[in-house]
Amino acid sequence: MSNSIQKNLNHVLELIKNAEEKSERTPASVKLVAVSKFHSVEEIIKVIQEGQNTFGENRVQEAVEKFSEIKKLGYNPDLHIIGTLQRNKVKDAVKISNCIESVDRIPLMEEIEKQCSKINKTIDILFEYHTGEDSKSGFKDKESLFEALELCNRGVFPHIKPKGFMTMAPFTSDKEKIRYAFKVLKDVASLAKQKFKNLSLTELSMGMSGDFEIAIEEGSTMVRIGTAIFGERIYN
């Protein structure tokens, strides 16, 4: 298992490097978020020992159980919550993670601010934007997204640091539909950066195991990859 994960991780990193070169991107400008949902503490630690430090988890309770144990063992990975986040899970999410990538509504931001203020913690967020017809989550239009950004711009959420945007492409083999979804996010991000110059909106989290090379071509700065590293998930 260890050798397999090691080989997979190195292969993915090489593919990312090649995609950067092909797109004439700055070397090492794309961060790998290793998606560890349904994978064990032991598997995650093997990946950490290979030098990978950023991980993504979809389910808060699973993330708390695994990454609390990992931290007790002396590791301090950079954990991102990437799945749809319910307000009743925010308290645990902000305690365990460094970044919430799936912020898709203002009431969620209000809860994140509330829970972060209680523990005097500032957390990074990405705004999830709806670009694919299969995905139900994410801000549905620029107006609602910009409303959320304006609240950050006015300092309404002092414990939240907006870092950029996230999307999921539609689940399809049609590469042009996938590319279009990434272009939509890139265009929205560009407009947001022009409108909200005081916010550091530098991150574009887009691209997964099946489409990350297209995402890098379209400007992604973070790719969320699980299966290509850990292998197929074992569902409980």
Side-chain angles (χ1 to χ4, degrees), residues 95-150:
K95 284 181 180 177
I96 197 68
S97 69
N98 306 90
C99 178
I100 297 174
E101 293 199 20
S102 50
V103 173
D104 61 357
R105 58 202 186 279
I106 290 171
L108 179 61
M109 297 168 69
E110 293 169 344
E111 187 66 23
I112 291 170
E113 172 63 30
K114 175 182 173 182
Q115 297 301 334
C116 281
S117 67
K118 288 181 179 179
I119 58 174
N120 195 27
K121 177 176 181 175
T122 301
I123 196 163
D124 293 344
I125 69 163
L126 302 182
F127 296 94
E128 183 174 0
Y129 193 71
H130 179 89
T131 62
E133 65 272 16
D134 298 312
S135 173
K136 294 179 181 177
S137 55
F139 285 93
K140 299 297 189 292
D141 52 62
K142 291 193 292 291
E143 290 74 22
S144 58
L145 173 62
F146 285 7
E147 182 183 351
L149 283 160
E150 178 58 32

Side-chain angles (χ1 to χ4, degrees), residues 38-219:
F38 294 132
H39 293 288
S40 67
V41 167
E42 291 74 23
E43 289 173 300
I44 295 167
I45 288 175
K46 286 170 186 173
V47 176
I48 293 173
Q49 290 171 342
E50 291 298 322
Q52 173 64 26
N53 194 56
T54 305
F55 293 84
E57 285 279 339
N58 295 65
R59 303 192 304 183
V60 173
Q61 191 57 45
E62 181 184 350
V64 169
E65 291 170 3
K66 294 190 302 190
F67 282 84
S68 295
E69 184 176 343
I70 288 166
K71 289 182 178 182
K72 285 178 185 175
L73 294 171
Y75 300 98
N76 190 30
D78 174 26
L79 178 62
H80 294 205
I81 299 298
I82 61 174
T84 301
L85 182 58
Q86 297 172 337
R87 288 181 67 177
N88 64 350
K89 301 290 186 183
V90 168
K91 181 179 179 180
D92 289 336
V94 300
K95 284 181 180 177
I96 197 68
S97 69
N98 306 90
C99 178
I100 297 174
E101 293 199 20
S102 50
V103 173
D104 61 357
R105 58 202 186 279
I106 290 171
L108 179 61
M109 297 168 69
E110 293 169 344
E111 187 66 23
I112 291 170
E113 172 63 30
K114 175 182 173 182
Q115 297 301 334
C116 281
S117 67
K118 288 181 179 179
I119 58 174
N120 195 27
K121 177 176 181 175
T122 301
I123 196 163
D124 293 344
I125 69 163
L126 302 182
F127 296 94
E128 183 174 0
Y129 193 71
H130 179 89
T131 62
E133 65 272 16
D134 298 312
S135 173
K136 294 179 181 177
S137 55
F139 285 93
K140 299 297 189 292
D141 52 62
K142 291 193 292 291
E143 290 74 22
S144 58
L145 173 62
F146 285 7
E147 182 183 351
L149 283 160
E150 178 58 32
L151 292 173
C152 293
N153 197 46
R154 288 178 10 218
V156 173
F157 305 120
H159 294 86
I160 291 176
K161 289 175 66 175
K163 289 293 186 179
F165 307 90
M166 183 268 263
T167 198
M168 291 182 65
F171 298 101
T172 176
S173 59
D174 187 331
K175 291 185 178 180
E176 288 311 306
K177 286 185 178 179
I178 293 169
R179 188 179 299 279
Y180 175 76
F182 296 148
K183 284 181 181 292
V184 167
L185 185 67
K186 183 168 64 173
D187 289 346
V188 168
S190 179
L191 288 171
K193 283 188 270 190
Q194 291 172 30
K195 186 173 176 64
F196 301 100
K197 296 184 187 299
N198 293 331
L199 300 179
S200 180
L201 303 170
T202 56
E203 301 291 357
L204 280 182
S205 176
M206 53 189 196
M208 298 166 65
S209 287
D211 56 26
F212 69 89
E213 289 161 300
I214 300 172
I216 291 172
E217 290 175 17
E218 295 303 327

